[in-house]
Amino acid sequence: MNIKEIKELIEIVSQHGITDLEVERSGVKVRIRKEGPLAAGSSQAQPGSAFAAAQTHGSAHAIEGPRVFVPAEPGPKNDEEGLAQVRSPIVGTFYRAPNPDAEPFVKTGDSVEPGQVLCIIEAMKLMNEIEAEVNGEVVKIYAENGEPVEFGQALFGIRLSKKL
Amino acid sequence: MRAGCAMPLDLLLPEFIRPLLKSRQLGKVIHHFQLTSSTNDVARQLAEQGAPEGVVVLAEEQTCGRGRAGRAWHSERSAGIYASILLRPAIKPREAPTLTLAAAVAVAEAIEQACGLHADIKWPNDLLLGGRKCCGILSEMHAETDKIRSVVVGIGINVNHSGFPAELGQLATSLRIECKRVCSRIDLLCALLERFERLYEDLQQGRRAAVLHRWVARSSFAVGKSLTLDLGSGQQIEGKTAGLSETGHLKIELADGRVEEFLSGEIVAWR
């Protein structure tokens, strides 16, 4: 979400008498609240994971006020440490290697490049190879081999290479 | 036909299949190999090169046919159907696993149509005759975060195998062993592609419940089956099946009465 889109949201809030608007897109959540008759609106943008967004979504009914939800898209997003996060596009079982006897596709500290396979997520014998979408170094592996992962759950944290 | 001479009419050649195949898109383009590593690998390469939906890769023999977790698939020359179907479904990646259930239904219905045998479906998509496996399905998806680029559905059917290596003896069977005659691979393949195409259209048009209903109707594993599910990592659970969830996950009632949904794992024992 860019500044222009946030400005547009603020316009919507002020023009339509909305007191509270929350929008999530690409893992970024923006909440715009009209505090009083004089306030134009305040906005706070916070980086959030698609997983966290999904949880927020799940409890949306508990929060009052009109709101617009744009479903968060799982994918590499920057978390608070500046890591690109690789997320699961499906609910499934996380495998770090192509078979139980093989070496993991990647380990922490490995350099990866776009198209390189990082892991497999399996659901009902549908194998989904997850590839890196960026150049960088694998800094974090959030999921355990053989464990179930949720839709949108962070799997890897990748520190982007300085070089383009 | 002289003894010892190759039987060209029994090959799965595109020119033999095309006049008989009544599908609209699946199998309109067929790549046939006498020998290849794995039809799934070939289909994935074609997908990356931009091949259109519906392309089918067939091999008379595979050197590296494989199943789940890197296991080998026994691919005796010209005895089975070793096929991979390239799809580019306009559904979300998270909805794609149901495709594997649809493929199992398609194969089961095709076997019944072409050979008169009633195959059972072991969740999610193994086909059994007399408790032994006659078909395995391994699908591979290439997806962006919210968009599927391609799905390759790999199907291995033991059609005219007269026997199996000792290590598979109790686990595997073929249509020929079960119905005691040679079956037409071409008829079976055509029936499979035609039926899978219609099930695939059902999924694309949001009729997932109808597809799951057909799976449940075909499978003795759907409800009331006592079984052991291996979850990998040395973990196994026991319980009794309680149907499918709306996404095709297997519901199992555990010993304490709780019902849990499972989305992967392998049924290793059943009664």
Side-chain angles (χ1 to χ4, degrees), chain B residues 9-23:
Chain B
L9 289 177
D10 193 43
L11 296 178
L12 292 176
L13 296 174
E15 52 266 43
F16 296 161
I17 296 167
R18 220 168 273 127
L20 300 171
L21 182 60
K22 294 187 212 55
S23 63

Side-chain angles (χ1 to χ4, degrees), chain A residues 73-77 87-93 95 98-100 117 122-129 131 133 145-149 151, chain B residues 44 68-70 93-94 96-98 100-101 123-126 133 137-146 151 233 247-249 263-264:
Chain A
E73 299 157 17
K77 306 294 181 300
R87 298 176 181 283
S88 180
I90 58 173
V91 176
T93 303
Y95 294 108
N99 67 67
V117 176
E122 182 203 353
M124 286 146 60
K125 271 168 71 179
L126 175 72
M127 318 307 263
N128 188 10
E129 285 188 351
E131 298 174 355
E133 292 179 24
N145 188 51
E147 292 296 315
V149 293
F151 167 66
Chain B
R44 282 172 55 173
R68 189 168 172 272
R94 59 182 181 272
T98 324
T100 73
L101 302 181
W123 185 88
N125 55 20
D126 282 347
K133 186 159 161 175
I137 299 170
L138 183 78
S139 307
E140 296 176 277
M141 175 160 72
H142 193 199
E144 289 168 31
T145 47
D146 66 341
V151 175
S233 318
T247 49
H249 299 167
L263 54 93
S264 59

Side-chain angles (χ1 to χ4, degrees), chain A residues 6-66:
Chain A
I6 293 172
K7 280 184 177 162
E8 286 172 2
L9 290 174
I10 293 170
E11 272 181 32
I12 291 171
V13 170
S14 38
Q15 284 173 7
H16 297 279
I18 297 169
T19 54
D20 193 340
L21 175 72
E22 194 170 279
V23 175
E24 287 175 22
R25 178 182 282 172
S26 308
V28 176
K29 183 162 71 177
V30 175
R31 185 174 188 186
I32 301 166
R33 201 183 335 184
K34 213 170 185 175
E35 296 283 3
L38 296 176
S42 68
S43 68
Q44 59 175 136
Q46 62 185 75
S49 66
F51 185 49
Q55 290 175 326
T56 309
H57 204 152
S59 60
H61 60 278
I63 307 167
E64 290 175 12

